[in-house]
Amino acid sequence: MSALLAGLTLLIIGDSHVTFKDSLLSILPEAYTQAGAKVVTYGVCSSTAADWVVPTSNNGCGAYQRIGIAPVGSAIMTPTAPPPITSLIAQWHPDVVMVVLGDTMAAYGQKEISTNWADEQVKTLTMTLGHTACIWIGPTWGEYSPRYGKTDKRAQEMATFLKGEVAPCTYIDGTQLMQPGTAKTIDGVHLTGESYKVWAAGIVQQTMPVLEKLRKP
């Protein structure tokens, strides 16, 4: 274990990419814990940014809470609302909140992103974080499937949109962490275990310098 992030408490929240075994849920907490941080992770699949402020009951596609590097079990598959970010901050007192969101607001399969709606979603969350530092991880590439309709073009469009929206959060562009066409998925959106490892490695590489600066002296 290194001491690069010793004393830092990191709260990770997000959609299905941090909800299931062999997703980012199984990789990021280990990496940051190994660097000395205290990590708490909450994932609710299909959740959008505002759902973490004004919780609405999810459709039951999966929710998970992981404290530290506890073994990852099965997600809760009953309709579950994300815990309000204000209560999570009050409970865990994180130095940094890491947000893994983008795919659920990209309107895959539709003609265009509803930018007004997406802007409201993002701002609702960032404004509620108060003075807590944050890092926002945008979506990465997928593969087209009729189920979700995710395309490289829309993923890129959403990544670019978020870049201009998530301030004061530090933005990490997921499409810059993998080469287009290299992401392998199980359904068009959710990556294979191996592709999640590649994406996670890029996230860790890009976020470690940011987290080191935010660590309490």
Side-chain angles (χ1 to χ4, degrees):
M1 179 181 289
S2 77
L4 288 174
L5 302 182
L8 182 127
T9 299
L10 173 62
L11 171 64
I12 303 174
I13 65 170
D15 54 23
S16 53
H17 294 303
V18 288
T19 301
F20 300 102
K21 190 174 182 179
D22 297 326
S23 70
L24 297 178
L25 174 69
S26 296
I27 310 170
L28 294 183
E30 274 81 355
Y32 297 125
T33 299
Q34 191 171 6
K38 176 183 177 181
V39 186
V40 184
T41 309
Y42 289 83
V44 179
C45 88
S46 295
S47 61
T48 62
D51 291 341
W52 293 87
V53 179
V54 184
T56 55
S57 190
N58 178 261
N59 63 11
C61 64
Y64 202 85
Q65 168 189 325
R66 189 183 189 198
I67 310 300
I69 54 172
V72 179
S74 299
I76 299 169
M77 299 305 288
T78 53
T80 305
I85 189 64
T86 49
S87 68
L88 292 178
I89 291 173
Q91 180 179 1
W92 298 106
H93 306 288
D95 300 294
V96 188
V97 175
M98 182 177 291
V99 180
V100 184
L101 285 172
D103 278 331
T104 57
M105 299 179 288
Y108 295 132
Q110 299 178 32
K111 286 186 176 181
E112 57 187 23
I113 298 171
S114 175
T115 52
N116 288 340
W117 175 82
D119 169 75
E120 185 178 357
Q121 288 283 321
V122 171
K123 293 295 193 292
T124 296
L125 179 54
T126 56
M127 291 173 66
T128 308
L129 291 172
H131 296 294
T132 306
C134 58
I135 299 173
W136 195 299
I137 312 297
T140 193
W141 310 108
E143 295 176 301
Y144 179 78
S145 76
R147 178 178 179 184
Y148 291 108
K150 182 172 182 175
T151 61
D152 284 355
K153 181 180 178 182
R154 180 57 59 84
Q156 180 71 72
E157 187 181 347
M158 189 64 190
T160 302
F161 172 79
L162 286 172
K163 184 176 183 179
E165 291 290 317
V166 302
C169 298
T170 298
Y171 182 59
I172 306 295
D173 186 343
T175 63
Q176 298 295 311
L177 304 180
M178 300 177 74
Q179 290 297 317
T182 61
K184 302 301 179 186
T185 71
I186 58 175
D187 57 12
V189 170
H190 303 96
L191 307 184
T192 62
E194 286 304 308
S195 282
Y196 270 122
K197 288 177 183 177
V198 176
W199 188 20
I203 291 172
V204 172
Q205 183 181 30
Q206 293 293 313
T207 55
M208 282 296 290
V210 182
L211 291 170
E212 283 183 64
K213 290 179 183 177
L214 294 170
R215 181 173 66 91
K216 289 178 179 176

